[in-house]
Amino acid sequence: MTTVNKIAVAMFTVADQDAAVRFYTDKLGWEVRNDVAMGEGPDAGRWVEVGPPGSDATLALNPPMGGQPGGGGVGVEATDLDAELERLRGTEGVEVGDPMGGEGPVPRMFSVTDPDGNWVWIVEAPQG
């Protein structure tokens, strides 16, 4: 995977943490960074983090707190945007948007939508 990024931590709300982990690891090729219980007993919550390999960025996947899942967005940089676009377009179950940008100061980018409606924007990393 060619993705690297600048963000340190972002948080998405998801309906099912296990399903979200499968999407980000199996479909996007990210890795689990943390998966620990929050509290004790059968009602204990869970703190789950994933991120692109080789990146310092971490995305926390949390159950909704008093609302519906989804609606968040995060951007990650790719050193080879075209290769990442091709790879993700060829991955079953991944909704990939059309590339955009590339004019003036706007970098080229495309979006991926997770099953909960969160947006991951894959942005072309600056050269040099």
Side-chain angles (χ1 to χ4, degrees):
M1 176 150 183
T2 59
T3 304
V4 295
N5 57 43
K6 296 178 182 177
I7 63 168
V9 176
M11 296 167 53
F12 278 176
T13 57
V14 298
D16 180 329
Q17 286 176 305
D18 290 325
V21 167
R22 283 190 302 275
F23 176 81
Y24 284 93
T25 59
D26 296 349
K27 303 294 184 179
L28 298 189
W30 292 17
E31 60 192 12
V32 174
R33 301 273 174 81
N34 209 349
D35 190 346
V36 297
M38 290 177 42
E40 296 180 22
D43 295 328
R46 216 170 128 201
W47 183 259
V48 180
E49 297 174 344
V50 296
S55 167
D56 291 333
T58 300
L59 177 59
L61 304 172
N62 302 306
M65 295 184 272
Q68 297 295 318
V74 64
V76 296
E77 289 182 339
T79 54
D80 187 340
L81 189 77
D82 294 324
E84 194 68 0
L85 178 63
E86 183 177 332
R87 183 183 76 80
L88 291 172
R89 278 190 171 157
T91 303
E92 184 178 337
V94 177
E95 182 182 329
V96 179
D98 291 329
M100 58 189 293
E103 299 86 29
V106 179
R108 290 178 55 231
M109 66 186 86
F110 66 91
S111 65
V112 174
T113 307
D114 79 7
D116 290 293
N118 295 298
W119 296 78
V120 178
W121 288 91
I122 312 297
V123 181
E124 189 168 50
Q127 301 299 314

